[in-house]
Amino acid sequence: MLAFQEKRQMLRRAIYIFFTITSALLMTGCNSFLVSETEINQEVEKLLAEPQSNQISLLVEGNALDIDLVVKKADVDLTARDGGLVLVDLDTNLEGVLTAFGQKISISASVEPSFESGVRIEEDRLYLTSPRITEVKVQGTSFTDKMLSSALGSVHGELEKALVKYFDTHPVYILNHSPFEKTAASLVKDIIIKEDTIELSIF
């Protein structure tokens, strides 16, 4: 009985917070809120530090390239260019096997893919969507590094698909930093990427 009463009180409190915030927004004429580039980068750093799978797997047909990229760092830049884009530079460790000249070669390298994408919201989470690779850097000057760079350059489509799969399950921002954010997340109707900020329209 006590547990039931506690649940009712929690539900009433949640409903009260929801209507209080909604009413305040309506009264002030506020119909959107902003998430800054700095806040997103801080969130990404925090999420990458959590125990989770930060691995992007890529297996090219015929096993010519079977690699895993472990994401160490991601730098997010928001721009209003071309209607609004999220520009991302990843820093990854690559491990895997490259098949060349009829031989399987074990490879290990530092790889930095750069891409641009849109953003979508699902429940209280912001996800990157439709990433398009603009550049892939392989740090190193050895013959194997050069072969890897050439191989990655020829499989942009497959690498983009791997990025889609990764960012479909790894958010870049969670709207849970305040009661306002938590409530407003369920009211978002549109997302506008501006210079250094994302504007979330709620009415």
Side-chain angles (χ1 to χ4, degrees):
M1 184 66 179
L2 183 60
F4 176 72
Q5 289 178 342
E6 288 177 349
K7 287 181 180 179
R8 284 187 63 183
Q9 288 177 346
M10 288 175 62
L11 180 59
R12 285 177 178 173
R13 186 167 179 269
I15 293 172
Y16 172 77
I17 292 172
F18 176 84
F19 281 107
T20 299
I21 292 175
T22 303
S23 299
L25 289 169
L26 288 169
M27 290 176 66
T28 58
C30 178
N31 61 358
S32 66
F33 65 103
L34 304 177
V35 178
S36 72
E37 181 181 295
T38 300
E39 289 173 314
I40 291 175
N41 277 304
Q42 289 172 345
E43 184 85 344
V44 168
E45 184 178 359
K46 184 181 76 172
L47 291 171
L48 286 175
E50 292 178 355
Q52 61 176 323
S53 174
N54 291 323
Q55 182 174 294
I56 301 172
S57 297
L58 176 62
L59 176 63
V60 177
E61 189 174 352
N63 296 336
L65 194 62
D66 184 0
I67 58 173
D68 292 322
L69 296 95
V70 178
V71 180
K72 298 186 298 178
K73 184 180 177 183
D75 181 58
V76 176
D77 179 26
L78 303 175
T79 176
R81 175 170 60 84
D82 298 332
L85 291 170
V86 182
L87 308 179
V88 182
D89 294 323
L90 293 180
D91 185 0
T92 72
N93 284 334
L94 180 148
E95 300 282 346
V97 176
L98 170 67
T99 302
F101 312 114
Q103 296 184 340
K104 292 185 179 296
I105 305 169
S106 295
I107 50 176
S108 177
S110 178
V111 178
E112 298 176 358
S114 297
F115 63 91
E116 55 189 34
S117 75
V119 66
R120 66 180 176 86
I121 187 168
E122 184 176 324
E123 296 179 349
D124 62 346
R125 297 170 181 239
L126 297 180
Y127 294 91
L128 300 183
T129 181
S130 303
R132 187 179 73 83
I133 294 173
T134 54
E135 186 179 21
V136 179
K137 295 179 184 177
V138 177
Q139 300 300 326
T141 57
S142 70
F143 181 64
T144 303
D145 290 330
K146 291 178 180 178
M147 282 197 304
L148 174 61
S149 182
S150 177
L152 289 173
S154 66
V155 295
H156 269 209
E158 288 84 352
L159 185 52
E160 283 176 350
K161 290 177 184 176
L163 288 172
V164 168
K165 186 175 180 181
Y166 177 83
F167 286 106
D168 268 348
T169 56
H170 291 74
V172 293
Y173 192 83
I174 302 175
L175 295 158
N176 65 354
H177 298 80
S178 68
F180 170 81
E181 270 198 353
K182 290 179 182 179
T183 303
S186 63
L187 303 172
V188 173
K189 302 299 181 185
D190 192 21
I191 301 175
I192 304 168
I193 303 172
K194 298 186 173 183
E195 208 66 35
D196 301 332
T197 60
I198 290 178
E199 180 179 343
L200 301 169
S201 300
I202 53 182
F203 294 116

